[in-house]
Amino acid sequence: MLVFVRDNNVDQALRALKKKMQRDGIFREVKLRRHFEKPSERRARERSEAIRRSRKLMRKRLEREGY
């Protein structure tokens, strides 16, 4: 990951780096890897996340298209 510091503005570069890391999901992955997660727990978590994503997508589609 690469962020350029312009005009010695480190704060702005740090903010851009954090935004890129957030978008890539690095913070989330670090949080998940702090403790061991059993494979069954991982499957259950991923399944629930997929359900949550699909419900959110359906809600947005209903707002946009009306069906």
Side-chain angles (χ1 to χ4, degrees):
M1 196 164 296
L2 185 67
V3 176
F4 294 105
V5 179
R6 296 184 186 136
D7 301 327
N8 269 348
N9 196 346
V10 177
D11 293 331
Q12 185 179 12
L14 189 62
R15 212 173 316 131
L17 176 66
K18 284 183 180 179
K19 191 180 289 186
K20 281 186 177 185
M21 290 173 70
Q22 179 74 32
R23 210 174 305 130
D24 287 346
I26 292 175
F27 291 128
R28 188 168 180 275
E29 188 174 335
V30 167
K31 183 181 174 185
L32 285 173
R33 288 178 185 247
R34 280 194 182 138
H35 303 287
F36 179 73
E37 187 178 27
K38 288 173 34 178
S40 61
E41 293 173 346
R42 191 181 119 248
R43 280 192 302 271
R45 178 183 50 79
E46 288 176 350
R47 193 176 304 125
S48 67
E49 288 173 356
I51 291 170
R52 195 176 315 121
R53 274 194 310 272
S54 67
R55 285 182 182 162
K56 183 177 180 179
L57 187 88
M58 293 302 288
R59 259 196 321 270
K60 286 188 173 203
R61 185 178 294 159
L62 183 65
E63 286 179 10
R64 255 185 278 128
E65 299 171 3
Y67 64 88

